[in-house]
Amino acid sequence: MQKSEIPEQKVLLHRLGRIPYAEAWKFQEYLFDNLIREKVERRNLNTGFSDPVHHLILCSHPPVYTLGKSANPANLLLHEDLIRSQGAEIFKTNRGGDITFHGPGQLVVYPIFDLDFFFTDIHRYLRTLEESVILTLASYGINADRYPGYTGVWIQPENEQKARKICAMGVRCSRWVTMHGLAFNLNTDLQWFNHIVPCGISDKKVSSLHLETGKTIDEEETADLLVKNMAMLFNFILKKL
């Protein structure tokens, strides 16, 4: 189903603030499972494409390292006990991708979307998420783009020596319902990335919007910009609780 063939979708926005990773993951799973259950019920009852409720979670986490299904444990450079002694948690997750860091000053976005109502194309889904971040960065005068062969959003990807990632991505999709999402470095303390090989890419650095602009970022303002860009690209409006 092409975007032009479907009506404007409604998405329920959840602003969770700073929340432990385990709690956010549990909430994601709850919404994800409900959306799949409702989808199966619609199909079993042959009710067609009745209005679903899609969800968009915005949050940040206390320091935590998460490993995707294809993560190489060697990309965690310190012993787990030492990591925990420094105040960070570690989770093996069911998302795609390798290892990344989440922490204060980072905008984490988890779309729980039924792509049957958008477009059933994971490649396009990832590229659309990336485009929403690229457009948001443009509002700050930053020219960002994709790096061939990698997911996420990059600064100066055309320069192999200076290319640096500002937004990492890793998703899960089942029955065309998505979870997990993106992590956009705003005021993030980038020192935490020194303990890992971020996303399994050993020869590239990470960056933040604060580092790129030299200014402390209004995180709520950036979140609002990102949601606005996502709404435009995915053709949705926000549904109130």
Side-chain angles (χ1 to χ4, degrees), residues 119-139:
F119 38 78
T120 50
D121 183 333
I122 288 298
H123 177 81
R124 181 179 173 186
Y125 174 66
L126 292 170
R127 303 295 81 78
T128 306
L129 289 179
E130 290 167 349
E131 188 66 19
S132 68
V133 176
I134 290 169
L135 292 176
T136 302
L137 287 166
S139 297

Side-chain angles (χ1 to χ4, degrees), residues 220-233:
E220 289 295 320
E221 178 183 86
T222 306
D224 288 343
L225 282 170
L226 182 62
V227 171
K228 179 181 178 181
N229 289 323
M230 289 185 69
M232 177 187 66
L233 293 169

Side-chain angles (χ1 to χ4, degrees), residues 21 25 29 32 66-73 75 91-100 169-174 179-180:
Y21 184 81
W25 190 5
E29 293 276 9
F32 176 83
T66 66
L67 290 81
K69 291 185 294 184
S70 59
N72 181 349
N75 288 331
F91 284 92
K92 294 181 180 178
T93 76
N94 57 359
R95 64 165 172 80
D98 205 285
I99 188 170
T100 195
M169 293 170 47
V171 304
R172 179 189 176 200
C173 184
S174 177
M179 65 178 292
H180 299 294

Side-chain angles (χ1 to χ4, degrees), residues 78-200:
L78 295 182
H79 191 277
E80 291 188 12
D81 290 342
L82 183 55
I83 289 289
R84 293 189 176 95
S85 73
Q86 295 186 4
E89 294 185 289
I90 303 170
F91 284 92
K92 294 181 180 178
T93 76
N94 57 359
R95 64 165 172 80
D98 205 285
I99 188 170
T100 195
F101 168 78
H102 301 305
Q106 184 185 75
L107 174 60
V108 181
V109 180
Y110 298 128
I112 316 296
F113 289 175
D114 184 347
L115 293 184
D116 266 326
F117 292 84
F118 294 94
F119 38 78
T120 50
D121 183 333
I122 288 298
H123 177 81
R124 181 179 173 186
Y125 174 66
L126 292 170
R127 303 295 81 78
T128 306
L129 289 179
E130 290 167 349
E131 188 66 19
S132 68
V133 176
I134 290 169
L135 292 176
T136 302
L137 287 166
S139 297
Y140 293 89
I142 296 174
N143 184 22
D145 209 336
R146 301 167 183 84
Y147 194 103
Y150 297 112
T151 59
V153 178
W154 297 73
I155 310 294
Q156 290 187 278
E158 73 284 351
N159 187 324
E160 288 195 13
Q161 302 304 315
K162 296 183 178 181
R164 52 209 182 271
K165 181 180 274 191
I166 195 168
C167 178
M169 293 170 47
V171 304
R172 179 189 176 200
C173 184
S174 177
R175 296 179 183 265
W176 292 112
V177 176
T178 67
M179 65 178 292
H180 299 294
L182 64 86
F184 186 5
N185 295 326
L186 305 183
N187 297 308
T188 318
D189 180 359
L190 300 179
Q191 294 297 316
W192 286 99
F193 287 93
N194 293 337
H195 303 323
I196 61 173
V197 179
C199 302

